[in-house]
Amino acid sequence: MTPSSSTTPSAAPGAGAAAAARDERTLMVPVAGLELRVSVRPALGFPPAASSAPDRPPLLLCNGIGAPIEMWTPFRDPLGRPTIAFDAPGVGESSVPLIPPTMGGVARAVLGVLDHLGVPTVDVLGVSWGGALAQELAHRGGDRVRRLVLCATMAGGAPVPGDPRVLAILATPLRYWSPSYLDRVAPKLYGPDVAGNPEMMAHQRRARFTRAPSSRGYVWQMLALRRFASVLWLHRLRQPTLVLTGGSDPIVPVANGRILASRIPDARLEVVEGGHLFLLTHAAAMADRINDFLDSPAGPPSGQTKSR
């Protein structure tokens, strides 16, 4: 996969999405005794000269707990840049580890996927559980991770918990197995941006119920956080970092974003409109914001907070 440089996407959104679906490459990658399902999408709508410059590495997407590759579609379509997504161990079509992995072990497996693909450098975006993995990848990957985007997530070892009633729903994968249960809990988990949007709910059902996580895989993902204490080393991260948090997220309160931005030296916090799935419900605006950050000539000013 060849990194490409930054310009503003010029293709029409519908044409870009269709081209992405046609050109997306999905493969099973053997790594660390597992088989991980991986999806690679090329850049769309950028001029030919942009395809060979070294300053636009692919964006590695790390998903939330239980979520398969297909959950990214509403965000990937307007993003335009080259992306790599994967089913975490125990999720979708990826195999389930025999014993619960640590977050460090999952990060090593993902770095092995990049080795397999021949990708030397990436930008990394993580949402929720995937935000913890993204922190681990930045820590372990060093210069291999150029920039970091943390969405709706928290620092390991210093979490500010959300609504206990909402967290109880997350304790099981039932929302990935039962359409009626998803309909019942979506308003509490994701708010009206998802539950009140028939098109978004239809996407959620397709993505969740086509490739639901196994019960063991889901529990293994939860247990991967058992020794995750990024608060102890976030101050060592050198990647320019954008921290995005939803102003009405009942799962990950805004205070968690403030902690992350205060601990990472070159980080900026932005409080954005929406709940836990703001990347999907406000996909076009978030894609523009993230592209601007990843393509900017310098990292964001440290310690700044902005509300949108």
Side-chain angles (χ1 to χ4, degrees):
M1 184 171 183
T2 304
S4 51
S5 73
S6 64
T7 63
T8 301
S10 58
R22 182 178 65 250
D23 297 336
E24 181 177 349
R25 181 166 57 102
T26 303
L27 62 159
M28 298 300 294
V29 175
V31 60
L34 301 168
E35 292 270 337
L36 298 188
R37 185 172 69 121
V38 178
S39 160
V40 179
R41 274 198 188 191
L44 298 169
F46 294 87
S51 63
S52 59
D55 58 348
R56 185 177 238 268
L59 179 62
L60 178 67
L61 302 172
C62 304
N63 221 334
I65 188 168
I69 290 168
E70 287 75 14
M71 199 74 83
W72 287 112
T73 300
F75 175 67
R76 275 176 120 180
D77 286 349
L79 191 66
R81 68 191 309 113
T83 55
I84 301 169
F86 58 94
D87 288 342
V91 173
E93 295 182 15
S94 291
S95 56
V96 184
L98 293 176
I99 60 174
T102 62
M103 196 58 74
V106 178
R108 284 191 295 272
V110 174
L111 291 171
V113 168
L114 299 181
D115 292 338
H116 182 93
L117 297 176
V119 176
T121 306
V122 290
D123 296 322
V124 177
L125 181 152
V127 59
S128 196
W129 183 94
L133 177 57
Q135 294 168 56
E136 191 75 47
L137 285 165
H139 178 52
R140 292 177 178 271
D143 291 341
R144 193 168 192 181
V145 176
R146 188 188 69 120
R147 295 194 180 187
L148 183 63
V149 183
L150 301 175
C151 303
T153 193
M154 58 186 64
V160 177
D163 185 331
R165 295 166 297 180
V166 170
L167 298 181
I169 296 170
L170 297 179
T172 79
L174 188 56
R175 66 195 184 282
Y176 285 97
W177 298 342
S178 168
S180 61
Y181 184 73
L182 176 64
D183 290 343
R184 192 161 68 250
V185 302
K188 297 186 184 73
L189 285 178
Y190 310 125
D193 289 346
V194 174
N197 184 331
E199 184 177 349
M200 182 57 64
M201 282 300 293
H203 163 69
Q204 289 288 309
R205 293 187 191 98
R206 283 194 303 271
R208 290 168 186 270
F209 305 136
T210 302
R211 290 183 171 88
S214 68
S215 56
R216 186 160 61 102
Y218 190 90
V219 172
W220 270 202
Q221 277 194 284
M222 294 179 68
L223 290 176
L225 295 167
R226 65 193 181 277
R227 299 204 309 249
F228 178 65
S230 62
V231 71
L232 300 177
W233 43 255
L234 285 173
H235 64 283
R236 299 190 191 122
L237 297 186
R238 293 295 174 259
Q239 294 89 351
T241 301
L242 177 64
V243 180
L244 298 173
T245 185
S248 55
D249 187 347
I251 299 172
V252 181
V254 171
N256 292 283
R258 299 191 192 283
I259 292 169
L260 284 168
S262 69
R263 296 290 295 170
I264 299 172
D266 194 3
R268 174 177 181 147
L269 169 67
E270 293 192 14
V271 181
V272 301
E273 182 181 356
H276 196 61
L277 299 184
F278 61 81
L279 278 185
L280 305 184
T281 58
H282 299 73
M286 291 298 98
D288 286 345
R289 178 64 194 94
I290 289 165
N291 275 327
D292 286 346
F293 165 69
L294 294 177
D295 294 337
S296 63
S302 298
Q304 292 193 11
T305 302
K306 183 176 180 181
S307 295
R308 290 186 166 230

